[in-house]
Amino acid sequence: MPRLIPPGESLAALALAALAVFASACSRFGPIYPSRPAPSEGPPAADPEPARVVAHLVVTSGALRQALDAAAPRTGDGMVHILGSDRAYHWERGPLDLSFSQGLIVLKTSIAAKVSVPLKTLELPLDLRIEGEPIVSSQYAVKLQSVDVHVRSSDTGLAMADRVASIYDRIADPIAAQLKDFAYDLKPVVTEAYARVARPIEIPVGDASTGGVTACARLRVLEIEAGPTVLADGIEKDIALVVAPSITLPCVDTLDEERPALPPLSNVATLVPGPFTVTIPIAARYDELTRAMAMAFTDGKLFFSTEYPGLYREHPEIYESEGQLVLRLHLHGPVHKLGIDTDLDGDLYLVGHPAVVDNELSIPDLEPTIETSNFLLSLKAMTDGDRIRTQARQALRLDIGERLRDAREKLGSGLTFESGGGCFRGDVDTIQVTGVHPHAAYVRIYVAVTARARLTMPCAAPADISTGAP
């Protein structure tokens, strides 16, 4: 009497028989998806759009008054022709008082002047008033233009002396000359900010022992702009570093690369104040995704089937085709069951669209191609096919949160420092992934960083800022 074969065993026997016939016809099953495009030798292109890192500059009235007080002459002397002879005079001013009026800086103080005449010394009380328009030059210096110095007195006797000997002008001229050359230098702190922004930051990705790579975060500075000046108990002005931001994987930049010199400051009519948004394109080669997936393999192999324990996947490879990502897996191993003795040796293909969810790059719709599905269907009614798909989805996850934290660091605490008597402070408010797009040689992820920056001269408080993780 013939032996009855249970239904499950019958299906398995039929599947294995089909595999045996297939394997006996050809030791390898051929490609079942278009081959990958020709590899690109060039680096991954971030191709960033210019953006502005805007810092609100504040030069306090106290700092400005001290600088102007140090620049203006405190004393002076000379000879003046009065009462038919040349007479010696000497003057000394008091501390400057600073205020603002109609877009001008106004400095006021008193001057005590003395003129030696026969048998006595005339003491002449004077009032000094200085007006000037504050500007920030192309060389990053606060200067005064259109300086106007007035020396006046209500003393009628001194008014007569002024008409005769121009005492006022002899006092006003050296003060005006000194203040025309006055410069409050912002260059050291701006240079430090420029150097910090322009210097690429190396970001280790993965474990070096398992073939990790190094990424580069860079904000290449194209230009530096300055908006209109606002006078409000000091000089306030928005300064913007026009940057081309990018993060590349692997690193195509070096930390010791020579940087261009600080460009001249460009004064512009308008500049958008407040928080700024920089969209950073992250360009990652597919070999990084491949490497991330390979970390799920043990000694280069991933066994997946309890029914056929000798079967394993190896050599994962990821590439782009028609806007989708293709995962190629090599399937290898013996099938010894129900009298069938053969070795599988061929490629499986799965396709899907990349997406970023919660700062993690994945392919949530990764599915086998029709040909791969048909083959896996013959292999234990698709049970292992589901397992292959699930494992591939789990392995094909690339956490970009660390990279986002480095972007936060670069625009946050990386831009917080003290230099040149000033404090530069950076705050990152939000980081948001706005898109992911596969290309022939790399995948590009767009990350929008919204932040704020402030430059205070001199430091109002210690430059101590804490930036949290995204």
Side-chain angles (χ1 to χ4, degrees):
M1 181 175 179
R3 183 174 65 90
L4 296 178
I5 301 176
E9 186 174 334
S10 175
L11 289 175
L14 291 174
L16 289 173
L19 286 174
V21 172
F22 182 81
S24 63
C26 181
S27 61
R28 297 182 60 88
F29 52 88
I32 51 181
Y33 200 83
S35 59
R36 63 175 297 171
S40 173
E41 298 299 331
D47 195 22
E49 291 187 2
R52 285 175 172 80
V53 176
V54 180
H56 188 68
L57 166 66
V58 177
V59 180
T60 65
S61 59
L64 197 59
R65 184 196 64 78
Q66 292 179 4
L68 287 167
D69 191 69
R74 294 181 176 275
T75 63
D77 49 39
M79 302 296 293
V80 60
H81 190 80
I82 188 172
L83 301 177
S85 301
D86 290 335
R87 309 291 181 179
Y89 73 89
H90 175 81
W91 61 268
E92 183 175 349
R93 68 167 177 84
L96 295 177
D97 176 69
L98 184 145
S99 62
F100 303 96
S101 177
Q102 299 180 343
L104 301 176
I105 286 180
V106 179
L107 300 169
K108 296 179 181 179
T109 190
S110 59
I111 292 180
K114 297 179 180 180
V115 180
S116 298
V117 296
L119 303 179
K120 66 176 182 178
T121 298
L122 296 178
E123 295 186 357
L124 311 173
L126 303 174
D127 294 324
L128 175 66
R129 179 186 175 93
I130 305 169
E131 295 179 351
E133 179 186 4
I135 63 167
V136 179
S137 71
S138 62
Q139 297 304 312
Y140 303 92
V142 177
K143 300 179 71 69
L144 295 180
Q145 66 180 11
S146 303
V147 177
D148 192 7
V149 181
H150 303 273
V151 179
R152 293 289 182 267
S153 175
S154 58
D155 187 285
T156 56
L158 186 59
M160 177 63 69
D162 176 54
R163 287 194 294 270
V164 175
S166 300
I167 286 182
Y168 293 170
D169 291 340
R170 291 174 181 267
I171 296 175
D173 288 348
I175 295 177
Q178 290 284 85
L179 292 181
K180 286 178 181 178
D181 294 333
F182 166 78
Y184 189 91
D185 194 8
L186 305 175
K187 197 167 187 177
V189 67
V190 176
T191 299
E192 176 67 17
Y194 167 76
R196 286 173 176 255
V197 169
R199 184 186 305 122
I201 295 179
E202 290 188 349
I203 307 171
V205 178
D207 189 349
S209 62
T210 59
V213 295
T214 300
C216 275
R218 184 182 181 188
L219 296 177
R220 183 165 57 92
V221 180
L222 307 176
E223 189 177 5
I224 302 180
E225 299 176 339
T229 299
V230 177
L231 301 181
D233 195 31
I235 295 177
E236 300 193 26
K237 199 178 189 73
D238 287 316
I239 294 180
L241 283 74
V242 183
V243 299
S246 64
I247 298 180
T248 55
L249 285 163
C251 185
V252 294
D253 209 340
T254 57
L255 294 180
D256 56 357
E257 178 182 342
E258 184 177 354
R259 303 293 165 199
L262 182 72
L265 182 68
S266 300
N267 284 281
V268 297
T270 59
L271 198 62
V272 178
F276 59 88
T277 298
V278 175
T279 298
I280 302 177
I282 302 176
R285 284 191 177 278
Y286 292 117
D287 54 6
E288 186 199 1
L289 286 174
T290 301
R291 188 177 293 108
M293 183 175 185
M295 294 177 68
F297 289 50
T298 302
D299 296 329
K301 300 177 181 179
L302 184 61
F303 295 89
F304 62 93
S305 177
T306 57
E307 187 76 15
Y308 312 109
L311 286 179
Y312 61 87
R313 289 169 290 156
E314 62 180 353
H315 305 314
E317 182 183 19
I318 301 170
Y319 59 90
E320 181 271 345
S321 179
E322 299 181 354
Q324 298 184 98
L325 290 186
V326 181
L327 168 62
R328 183 189 66 83
L329 293 167
H330 189 75
L331 184 65
H332 190 79
V335 174
H336 302 295
K337 192 169 184 178
L338 299 178
I340 297 176
D341 186 4
T342 187
D343 288 332
L344 296 183
D345 187 4
D347 295 329
L348 301 178
Y349 292 83
L350 299 90
V351 297
H353 297 84
V356 175
V357 178
D358 197 20
N359 295 339
E360 186 176 71
L361 176 65
S362 64
I363 309 178
D365 62 346
L366 187 69
E367 295 286 351
T369 63
I370 294 176
E371 296 85 353
T372 294
S373 296
N374 290 338
F375 171 76
L376 293 174
L377 183 61
S378 66
L379 185 63
K380 209 186 126 193
M382 207 38 194
T383 300
D384 289 323
D386 291 339
R387 185 178 294 114
I388 288 175
R389 179 194 62 190
T390 301
Q391 290 177 341
R393 287 180 179 178
Q394 292 174 348
L396 268 180
R397 292 179 181 272
L398 179 62
D399 185 8
I400 62 174
E402 190 65 33
R403 226 151 304 153
L404 300 185
R405 280 187 285 273
D406 281 286
R408 177 186 291 272
E409 178 76 12
K410 189 171 181 66
L411 291 174
S413 59
L415 284 180
T416 298
F417 59 90
E418 296 183 21
S419 178
C423 286
F424 203 106
R425 300 169 62 90
D427 264 316
V428 175
D429 297 320
T430 62
I431 296 182
Q432 180 183 9
V433 177
T434 59
V436 53
H437 305 279
H439 296 265
Y442 56 89
V443 61
R444 185 184 297 163
I445 305 166
Y446 290 92
V447 178
V449 181
T450 300
R452 292 166 288 119
R454 184 178 182 88
L455 170 57
T456 304
M457 303 283 290
C459 291
D464 181 16
I465 188 171
S466 176
T467 56

